[in-house]
Tab-separated table of all heavy atoms in Angstrom:
chain	number	residue	atom	x	y	z
H	103	THR	N	144.779	93.696	70.741
H	103	THR	CA	143.664	93.147	71.416
H	103	THR	C	144.320	92.128	72.473
H	103	THR	O	145.240	91.430	72.188
H	103	THR	CB	142.887	92.231	70.497
H	103	THR	OG1	142.531	93.022	69.352
H	103	THR	CG2	141.662	91.677	71.074
H	104	SER	N	143.763	92.313	73.753
H	104	SER	CA	144.284	91.438	74.733
H	104	SER	C	143.650	90.086	74.654
H	104	SER	O	142.412	89.986	74.814
H	104	SER	CB	144.049	92.064	76.110
H	104	SER	OG	142.758	92.361	76.270
H	105	GLY	N	144.376	89.111	74.287
H	105	GLY	CA	143.863	87.694	74.067
H	105	GLY	C	143.191	87.735	72.793
H	105	GLY	O	143.078	88.731	72.020
H	106	LEU	N	142.522	86.495	72.501
H	106	LEU	CA	141.995	86.345	71.231
H	106	LEU	C	140.644	87.155	71.078
H	106	LEU	O	140.358	87.739	70.072
H	106	LEU	CB	141.633	84.868	70.953
H	106	LEU	CG	141.273	84.515	69.544
H	106	LEU	CD1	142.326	84.841	68.585
H	106	LEU	CD2	140.849	82.969	69.478
H	107	LEU	N	139.884	87.239	72.168
H	107	LEU	CA	138.602	87.904	72.102
H	107	LEU	C	138.491	89.040	73.160
H	107	LEU	O	137.407	89.562	73.472
H	107	LEU	CB	137.361	86.888	72.487
H	107	LEU	CG	137.383	85.681	71.450
H	107	LEU	CD1	136.515	84.608	72.106
H	107	LEU	CD2	136.850	86.162	70.096
H	108	GLY	N	139.636	89.511	73.709
H	108	GLY	CA	139.586	90.500	74.827
H	108	GLY	C	139.386	91.953	74.355
H	108	GLY	O	138.948	92.177	73.166
H	109	GLU	N	139.492	92.811	75.336
H	109	GLU	CA	139.344	94.164	75.123
H	109	GLU	C	140.294	94.722	74.169
H	109	GLU	O	141.566	94.177	74.240
H	109	GLU	CB	139.285	94.929	76.410
H	109	GLU	CG	138.070	94.737	77.259
H	109	GLU	CD	136.891	95.576	76.785
H	109	GLU	OE1	137.035	96.805	76.923
H	109	GLU	OE2	135.839	95.043	76.304
H	110	GLN	N	140.169	95.921	73.539
H	110	GLN	CA	141.285	96.458	72.610
H	110	GLN	C	141.883	97.445	73.431
H	110	GLN	O	141.251	98.171	74.248
H	110	GLN	CB	140.623	96.920	71.378
H	110	GLN	CG	140.172	95.716	70.542
H	110	GLN	CD	139.862	96.095	68.930
H	110	GLN	OE1	138.972	96.890	68.849
H	110	GLN	NE2	140.575	95.490	68.175
H	111	TYR	N	143.122	97.662	73.274
H	111	TYR	CA	143.948	98.752	73.888
H	111	TYR	C	144.938	99.280	72.854
H	111	TYR	O	145.125	98.707	71.804
H	111	TYR	CB	144.519	98.176	75.132
H	111	TYR	CG	145.619	97.175	74.879
H	111	TYR	CD1	146.989	97.516	74.891
H	111	TYR	CD2	145.329	95.791	74.820
H	111	TYR	CE1	147.957	96.522	74.552
H	111	TYR	CE2	146.294	94.818	74.482
H	111	TYR	CZ	147.642	95.200	74.385
H	111	TYR	OH	148.566	94.310	74.235
H	112	ILE	N	145.600	100.356	73.304
H	112	ILE	CA	146.631	100.959	72.429
H	112	ILE	C	147.989	100.692	72.999
H	112	ILE	O	148.245	100.737	74.219
H	112	ILE	CB	146.474	102.520	72.381
H	112	ILE	CG1	145.068	102.804	71.661
H	112	ILE	CG2	147.568	103.236	71.623
H	112	ILE	CD1	144.788	104.350	71.516
H	113	GLY	N	148.811	100.072	72.043
H	113	GLY	CA	150.100	99.827	72.461
H	113	GLY	C	151.128	100.841	71.943
H	113	GLY	O	150.889	101.216	70.646
H	114	ILE	N	152.112	101.245	72.739
H	114	ILE	CA	153.061	102.243	72.287
H	114	ILE	C	154.480	101.395	72.072
H	114	ILE	O	154.855	100.730	72.943
H	114	ILE	CB	153.319	103.409	73.143
H	114	ILE	CG1	152.026	104.119	73.544
H	114	ILE	CG2	154.443	104.360	72.722
H	114	ILE	CD1	152.314	105.312	74.380
H	115	THR	N	154.961	101.629	70.950
H	115	THR	CA	156.360	101.057	70.589
H	115	THR	C	157.323	102.153	70.696
H	115	THR	O	157.346	103.073	69.685
H	115	THR	CB	156.477	100.313	69.312
H	115	THR	OG1	155.228	99.448	69.156
H	115	THR	CG2	157.631	99.400	69.215
H	116	PRO	N	157.984	102.308	71.698
H	116	PRO	CA	158.968	103.537	71.716
H	116	PRO	C	159.974	103.488	70.612
H	116	PRO	O	160.579	102.474	70.255
H	116	PRO	CB	159.697	103.507	73.081
H	116	PRO	CG	158.833	102.419	73.833
H	116	PRO	CD	158.208	101.511	72.897
H	117	GLY	N	160.262	104.577	69.947
H	117	GLY	CA	161.157	104.728	68.889
H	117	GLY	C	162.544	104.986	69.452
H	117	GLY	O	162.785	105.041	70.611
H	118	PHE	N	163.524	105.121	68.451
H	118	PHE	CA	164.950	105.448	68.836
H	118	PHE	C	164.995	106.761	69.296
H	118	PHE	O	164.220	107.612	68.920
H	118	PHE	CB	165.864	104.992	67.604
H	118	PHE	CG	165.534	105.792	66.399
H	118	PHE	CD1	166.216	107.088	66.282
H	118	PHE	CD2	164.629	105.352	65.490
H	118	PHE	CE1	165.947	107.809	65.195
H	118	PHE	CE2	164.337	106.156	64.365
H	118	PHE	CZ	164.973	107.366	64.266
H	119	ILE	N	166.060	107.088	70.045
H	119	ILE	CA	166.354	108.361	70.536
H	119	ILE	C	167.661	108.862	69.936
H	119	ILE	O	168.672	108.108	70.059
H	119	ILE	CB	166.420	108.338	72.139
H	119	ILE	CG1	165.078	107.781	72.667
H	119	ILE	CG2	166.626	109.753	72.525
H	119	ILE	CD1	165.137	107.619	74.185
H	120	ASP	N	167.651	110.065	69.380
H	120	ASP	CA	168.886	110.530	68.832
H	120	ASP	C	169.043	111.988	69.249
H	120	ASP	O	168.032	112.467	69.906
H	120	ASP	CB	168.787	110.452	67.328
H	120	ASP	CG	170.151	110.347	66.596
H	120	ASP	OD1	171.085	110.487	67.391
H	120	ASP	OD2	170.197	109.894	65.523
H	121	ASP	N	169.974	112.718	68.910
H	121	ASP	CA	170.351	113.904	69.295
H	121	ASP	C	169.205	114.902	68.769
H	121	ASP	O	168.714	115.807	69.576
H	121	ASP	CB	171.623	114.467	69.072
H	121	ASP	CG	172.742	113.912	69.927
H	121	ASP	OD1	172.297	113.300	70.866
H	121	ASP	OD2	173.821	114.007	69.500
H	122	ASP	N	168.863	114.835	67.594
H	122	ASP	CA	167.860	115.707	66.957
H	122	ASP	C	166.509	115.166	67.026
H	122	ASP	O	165.542	115.727	66.356
H	122	ASP	CB	168.205	115.889	65.484
H	122	ASP	CG	168.501	114.753	64.704
H	122	ASP	OD1	168.492	113.581	65.403
H	122	ASP	OD2	168.413	114.662	63.519
H	123	ILE	N	166.212	114.162	67.871
H	123	ILE	CA	164.848	113.700	68.060
H	123	ILE	C	164.287	114.307	69.358
H	123	ILE	O	164.930	114.177	70.435
H	123	ILE	CB	164.812	112.142	68.110
H	123	ILE	CG1	165.531	111.565	66.960
H	123	ILE	CG2	163.367	111.641	68.442
H	123	ILE	CD1	164.741	111.604	65.607
H	124	GLU	N	163.070	114.980	69.132
H	124	GLU	CA	162.505	115.515	70.451
H	124	GLU	C	161.604	114.612	71.074
H	124	GLU	O	161.120	113.664	70.463
H	124	GLU	CB	161.775	116.958	70.011
H	124	GLU	CG	162.683	117.958	69.847
H	124	GLU	CD	161.992	119.274	69.533
H	124	GLU	OE1	160.913	119.408	70.003
H	124	GLU	OE2	162.515	120.064	68.742
H	125	MET	N	161.291	114.908	72.374
H	125	MET	CA	160.378	113.962	73.136
H	125	MET	C	158.963	114.587	72.847
H	125	MET	O	158.781	115.750	72.746
H	125	MET	CB	160.745	113.993	74.599
H	125	MET	CG	162.101	113.465	74.914
H	125	MET	SD	162.334	111.882	74.380
H	125	MET	CE	162.003	110.802	75.679
H	126	LEU	N	157.996	113.663	72.896
H	126	LEU	CA	156.634	114.124	72.725
H	126	LEU	C	156.101	114.871	73.962
H	126	LEU	O	156.341	114.569	75.029
H	126	LEU	CB	155.618	112.903	72.514
H	126	LEU	CG	155.762	112.197	71.222
H	126	LEU	CD1	155.106	110.802	71.307
H	126	LEU	CD2	155.245	113.059	70.102
H	127	ALA	N	155.451	116.070	73.671
H	127	ALA	CA	155.174	116.882	74.750
H	127	ALA	C	153.513	117.151	74.604
H	127	ALA	O	152.898	116.680	73.604
H	127	ALA	CB	155.719	118.240	74.751
Side-chain angles (χ1 to χ4, degrees):
Chain H
T103 309
S104 53
L106 193 58
L107 299 166
E109 288 279 297
Q110 290 192 303
Y111 65 96
I112 295 183
I114 302 185
T115 316
F118 59 91
I119 303 175
D120 213 345
D121 286 345
D122 52 348
I123 305 289
E124 281 180 36
M125 301 304 264
L126 289 166

